[in-house]
């Protein structure tokens, strides 16, 4: 079974999150008050007109190698944009899928399948100097492993990740996978509460304990992004007894030794809300945009240098606490964020720091539930949204 922080929030028996806090945590029933918005900085984003997304098509997913539903978890374009990879998570522990589907990014016709281990969640690539694919890496949540495949989708090896020996489940619940800018290291976040972001050495395909990031006991790492050589991590620290949590962003230098820096976004100890940032995207001026569960119906713009909060923008979605599992960002500055529970997707112009519209999936001509990811095509003209609960992928055109 895979464990996202989204499931952690709904099933409290499966979680743990982020680094020991280095600043005082306010225990309140609502997110911490944001800092006063800073004056907008000049934005070097493309001046291209931001087209409004409209529903385009639905892709059904009959491909799975394990006896489970498809449950598409993410959508990842190959570095050259010629292929789209869809990890099919499948189901819970013991019934999870073990297939990554490679499809045509235009027609969505199946090109091949890669057999991995149980409950694949994310994919990332290591490229050669010419930009071609050298290796692909897949996190297998329930199997506590990372599958490595080559440019022809052939299995190279499987790398086990050690689970918490004191944990209730025999897996570290690996989640996000991201490659360092120099292509030397692949980082894998985990959700089992050990607080580890494992480092895999690309040359040896072995865990590198020297580069592994320790966020602290009781911590989970959701999605991550690089700003230069610094890794921005969505992290959550759950309180003892799962009475609440603190959601934060942690910035970790990866090329030169240096201390981790963090910014608390929201905290709660009521036992009803569990703030946990889920996804992060970097815009064209280097700001990190973050959204998550129980941090309010808003997205956060963060300057990773501090890190400091630049501003927040309301999403105009109907769940006041916000249940955001995923966001996506186009090169020219259109941010899309989906509410996992209310099945709504909002769009924001990050250049103008302004909400644009909210799209209710209930008004679409197809059934779509529980968006797990939002991915813009390389040209920015399509938005791919894998929907776990309805076993399909919906596509918006711009």
């Amino acid at each position: 079974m895979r464990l996202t922080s989204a499931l952690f929030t709904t099933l409290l028996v499966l979680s743990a999150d982020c680094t020991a806090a280095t600043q005082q945590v306010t225990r309140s029933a609502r997110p911490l008050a944001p800092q006063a918005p800073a004056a907008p900085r000049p934005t070097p984003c493309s001046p291209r007109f931001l087209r409004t997304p409209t529903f385009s098509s639905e892709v059904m997913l009959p491909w799975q190698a394990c006896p489970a539903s498809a449950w598409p978890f993410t959508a990842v374009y190959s570095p050259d944009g010629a292929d789209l990879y869809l990890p099919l998570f499948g189901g819970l522990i013991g019934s999870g899928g073990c297939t990554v589907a490679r499809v045509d990014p235009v027609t969505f016709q199946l090109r091949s399948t890669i057999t991995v281990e149980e409950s694949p969640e994310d994919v990332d690539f290591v490229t050669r100097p010419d930009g071609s694919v050298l290796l692909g890496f897949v996190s297998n949540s329930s199997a506590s492993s990372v599958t490595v495949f080559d440019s022809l989708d052939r299995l190279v090896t499987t790398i086990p990740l050690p689970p918490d020996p004191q944990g209730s489940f025999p897996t570290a619940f690996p989640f996000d996978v991201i490659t360092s800018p120099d292509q030397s290291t692949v980082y894998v976040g985990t959700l089992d509460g050990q607080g580890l972001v494992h480092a895999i050495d690309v040359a040896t395909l072995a865990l590198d304990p020297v580069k592994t990031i320790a966020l602290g006991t009781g911590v989970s790492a959701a999605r991550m992004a690089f700003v230069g050589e610094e890794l921005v991590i969505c992290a959550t620290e759950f309180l003892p007894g799962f009475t609440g949590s603190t959601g934060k962003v942690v910035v970790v230098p990866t090329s030169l030794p240096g201390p981790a820096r963090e910014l608390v976004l929201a905290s709660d100890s009521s036992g009803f809300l569990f703030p946990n940032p889920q996804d992060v995207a970097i815009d064209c001026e280097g700001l990190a945009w973050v959204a998550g569960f129980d941090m309010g119906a808003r997205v956060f713009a963060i300057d990773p240098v501090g890190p400091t909060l630049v501003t927040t923008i309301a999403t105009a979605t109907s769940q006041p606490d916000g249940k955001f599992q995923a966001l996506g960002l186009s090169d020219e500055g259109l941010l899309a964020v989906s509410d996992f529970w209310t099945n709504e997707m909002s769009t924001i112009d990050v250049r103008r720091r302004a909400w644009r519209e909210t799209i209710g999936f209930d008004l679409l001509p197809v059934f779509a539930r529980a968006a797990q990811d939002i991915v813009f095509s390389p040209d920015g003209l399509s938005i791919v949204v894998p929907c776990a609960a309805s076993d399909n992928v919906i596509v918006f055109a711009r």
Side-chain angles (χ1 to χ4, degrees):
M1 153 185 175
R2 93 143 211 237
L3 232 63
T4 66
S5 296
L7 283 185
F8 284 143
T9 304
T10 28
L11 306 176
L12 302 183
V13 295
L14 303 177
S15 59
D17 268 298
C18 187
T19 35
T22 59
Q23 45 185 291
Q24 182 179 1
V25 176
T26 300
R27 309 298 184 192
S28 63
R30 286 293 173 206
L32 299 179
Q35 302 169 9
R41 295 181 291 179
T43 308
C45 296
S46 164
R48 194 165 47 161
F49 175 71
L50 296 183
R51 300 177 179 88
T52 298
T54 57
F55 174 77
S56 173
S57 61
E58 174 191 29
V59 181
M60 298 305 296
L61 301 174
W63 325 299
Q64 62 248 13
C66 291
S69 60
W71 200 336
F73 194 81
T74 55
V76 182
Y77 283 92
S78 60
D80 61 2
D83 295 287
L84 184 64
Y85 288 79
L86 298 170
L88 305 183
F89 172 77
L92 304 183
I93 285 178
S95 64
C98 47
T99 299
V100 175
R102 180 171 67 93
V103 304
D104 183 296
V106 177
T107 66
F108 288 91
Q109 293 298 305
L110 181 65
R111 288 177 169 169
S112 68
T113 57
I114 304 169
T115 299
V116 295
E117 294 196 320
E118 192 178 2
S119 305
E121 289 198 341
D122 197 21
V123 179
D124 202 14
F125 299 93
V126 170
T127 58
R128 300 183 178 91
D130 65 0
S132 62
V133 170
L134 175 64
L135 295 169
F137 292 76
V138 183
S139 59
N140 304 307
S141 179
S142 295
S144 201
S145 67
V146 173
T147 296
V148 185
F149 63 92
D150 66 14
S151 60
L152 298 178
D153 298 340
R154 299 174 300 195
L155 178 67
V156 174
T157 191
T158 299
I159 304 167
L161 303 180
D164 182 356
Q166 308 300 320
S168 302
F169 300 93
T171 175
F173 294 112
F175 180 14
D176 199 24
V177 181
I178 189 167
T179 304
S180 62
D182 65 4
Q183 306 297 297
S184 69
T185 308
V186 173
Y187 291 92
V188 186
T190 60
L191 297 170
D192 68 340
Q194 293 186 91
L196 297 178
V197 177
H198 289 284
I200 298 173
D201 184 276
V202 171
T204 64
L205 296 182
L207 295 180
D208 184 345
V210 174
K211 291 186 177 180
T212 290
I213 299 167
L215 298 172
T217 303
V219 170
S220 293
R223 286 177 169 133
M224 305 176 285
F226 269 99
V227 177
E229 298 291 333
E230 295 197 310
L231 187 58
V232 180
I233 304 170
C234 291
T236 309
E237 182 178 7
F238 283 82
L239 301 178
F242 299 107
T243 57
S245 64
T246 295
K248 60 184 78 175
V249 166
V250 181
V251 181
V252 181
T254 60
S255 60
L256 297 173
R261 312 183 306 276
E262 68 177 47
L263 173 68
V264 170
L265 299 178
S267 185
D268 188 90
S269 60
S270 68
F272 296 99
L273 298 178
F274 295 84
N276 54 103
Q278 286 290 302
D279 205 352
V280 56
I282 310 301
D283 73 13
C284 45
E285 66 172 35
L287 293 184
W289 291 83
V290 173
F293 269 53
D294 294 346
M295 301 194 299
R298 55 183 176 170
V299 294
F300 298 78
I302 297 164
D303 185 341
V305 173
T308 56
L309 184 62
V310 175
T311 191
T312 62
I313 298 176
T315 59
T317 45
S318 56
Q319 163 59 252
D321 297 316
K323 306 292 183 182
F324 302 119
Q325 174 76 358
L327 56 78
L329 182 63
S330 70
D331 287 344
E332 82 275 24
L334 182 67
L335 180 72
V337 57
S338 64
D339 191 295
F340 187 82
W341 284 16
T342 65
N343 301 298
E344 297 167 298
M345 184 176 75
S346 292
T347 59
I348 291 167
D349 183 343
V350 304
R351 300 172 304 178
R352 295 178 173 84
R353 312 281 194 265
W355 171 86
R356 288 170 57 90
E357 65 174 338
T358 297
I359 300 169
F361 288 179
D362 287 339
L363 300 179
L364 300 179
V366 298
F367 185 68
R369 288 291 183 273
Q372 292 280 8
D373 201 3
I374 299 176
V375 180
F376 283 82
S377 60
D379 62 9
L381 298 181
S382 297
I383 304 175
V384 178
V385 183
C387 295
S390 48
D391 264 356
N392 57 357
V393 173
I394 55 175
V395 183
F396 293 88
R398 298 175 58 221

